[in-house]
Structure formats: C-alpha cells, structure tokens
Amino acid sequence: MSGDHSSTAISERVRRVEALLEERGMVTRADIDGRIDEFLRGATPANGARIIARAWVDPAFKERLLNDANAAIQELGFTMSGGIQEQRLKVVANSEAEHNVVVCTLCSCYPIALLGPSPGWYKSEAYRSRVVREPRALLREFGLELPADTRISVWDASAESRYMVVPQRPPAAQRMSEAKLATLVTRKGLIGTAAL
Ligand code: FE
C-alpha cells in the first residue's frame, strides 16, 4: 500500500494548500468553510438509497452502475467530486453467492457524498482490523448471519477510491415503487454490515 493512502499525509497537504491560498488572498477561510458546509448539507444516506432503488428497478442502470459508478450516479444528479478531488467510486452488488462489505483498513475513507458522515464504528480499530481477519464472525456480531456457502468480499477503501454495496432487494419488496424501495435501504446495508 502506498504512503499516499494515509489520510494524515493528505490532510496535511490540504491544510498547506489552504494556507497558501489564504495567504495569497485567493480564498478566505469562510469560502472554504462554506464549501464544506454545502457539501455536507447534501451528504446523506438517502442519496445512496436512491441509487440502490434505481438499480433494483432498472437492470440496465444497475449494469452501468457496476461498470462505471462515477458516470452512472451522475444520471441521478450525484457526483464524487463534491470534496476537493474526484474520488473513484466502485459499486459492488450482493447476491446469494457473494456478500460484500466495505472498510478502510488504514483510516476512515468513505463515500460521504452518498452515505453522509461515517458512523463511529466504521472508524474504530476493532472494525477496521476484524472485518478483514474474521468478517463472518464480525458480521454475525452485527446481527448478520450469512449462509456458510456465501462468499464474503471485503473492499478496502483508500484516499482515491470509495466503495458502496448494492444490498439484495428484500423478497417482500417486489411490487414497491422506486421511491418506496429507497426507504428500505439503510446505511448499514450500503456498507454491507446488514442485510435488508
Ligand atoms: Fe482511509
């Protein structure tokens, strides 16, 4: 893994760039804070939920989403460039055969634009190490008991790459509208620590 992954190194670089821009009168602290506030105001798991509901009702969209998530989410008006740099988004879909779960083993990288600020447990040392070492046992503690023959894939986010999970559509939800389906999608479902 490259040293670039370290969010400490990146945030230090960002702070230096901010300081230079302020020093040269190119931006003010208020500009930067305003930009961040605006970004966070729009950042909620309801965004991820809308994307998943569309993927459930529109198989062609789902395929585009799995192939090139950055482009596909723009169809719904979302972007991964709301922060400082565009982050690559990879969306992975759960099935009977495979369950996906997302982590950032080194720090806490997370698709904030689509999921809102990350939960405390996502950033915890225990989650970050155990999900890699013993994902099945950890997911069981989250209340998710997976069939023994379901493979578990763990996706490790980085400063440049973010992941989001397409949960399996609940069997009872076959006739629901897209808007109603979106209300079923939880943050844990999008991270892969719960089924729906
Ligand atoms: Fe990270």
Side-chain angles (χ1 to χ4, degrees):
M1 258 179 226
S2 83
D4 281 340
H5 179 90
S6 156
S7 73
T8 320
I10 287 179
S11 52
E12 268 164 24
R13 288 211 302 262
V14 168
R15 270 196 298 276
R16 279 197 50 206
V17 170
E18 279 181 12
L20 280 169
L21 290 172
E22 283 183 60
E23 221 173 273
R24 294 176 191 183
M26 296 172 82
V27 295
T28 64
R29 172 56 27 202
D31 291 335
I32 296 171
D33 289 349
R35 193 62 202 281
I36 293 169
D37 286 348
E38 194 187 306
F39 171 66
L40 287 178
R41 252 198 308 280
T44 137
N47 297 341
R50 264 190 63 202
I51 296 167
I52 301 310
R54 174 64 57 87
W56 282 342
V57 301
D58 182 346
F61 175 77
K62 182 176 176 182
E63 204 178 314
R64 292 196 294 281
L65 185 66
L66 299 180
N67 288 334
D68 183 351
N70 290 74
I73 65 171
Q74 282 183 32
E75 297 176 33
L76 298 182
F78 298 117
T79 168
M80 292 299 287
S81 52
I84 289 149
Q85 73 201 75
E86 164 121 27
Q87 294 149 347
R88 183 175 161 274
L89 177 68
K90 171 90 182 143
V91 175
V92 288
N94 288 346
S95 64
E96 294 297 326
E98 182 179 24
H99 180 86
N100 297 281
V101 60
V102 177
V103 66
C104 175
T105 52
L106 290 194
C107 40
S108 56
C109 300
Y110 188 81
I112 292 173
L114 307 180
L115 273 72
S118 61
W121 56 260
Y122 183 84
K123 296 174 246 189
S124 73
E125 167 71 29
Y127 177 75
R128 286 162 34 223
S129 55
R130 292 189 57 215
V131 75
V132 176
R133 248 181 14 243
E134 40 174 359
R136 200 171 292 273
L138 182 79
L139 291 175
R140 192 176 296 125
E141 287 169 31
F142 271 93
L144 178 58
E145 182 77 52
L146 292 167
D149 56 353
T150 298
R151 188 171 68 248
I152 302 175
S153 297
V154 180
W155 298 87
D156 192 358
S158 72
E160 300 81 22
S161 292
R162 303 296 147 98
Y163 296 93
M164 185 170 77
V165 174
V166 182
Q168 283 190 276
R169 182 171 170 164
Q174 294 311 327
R175 289 150 173 272
M176 283 183 186
S177 69
E178 187 178 334
K180 192 81 198 285
L181 285 169
T183 67
L184 301 178
V185 181
T186 62
R187 181 169 69 179
K188 279 186 179 166
L190 297 167
I191 301 172
T193 50
L196 303 181

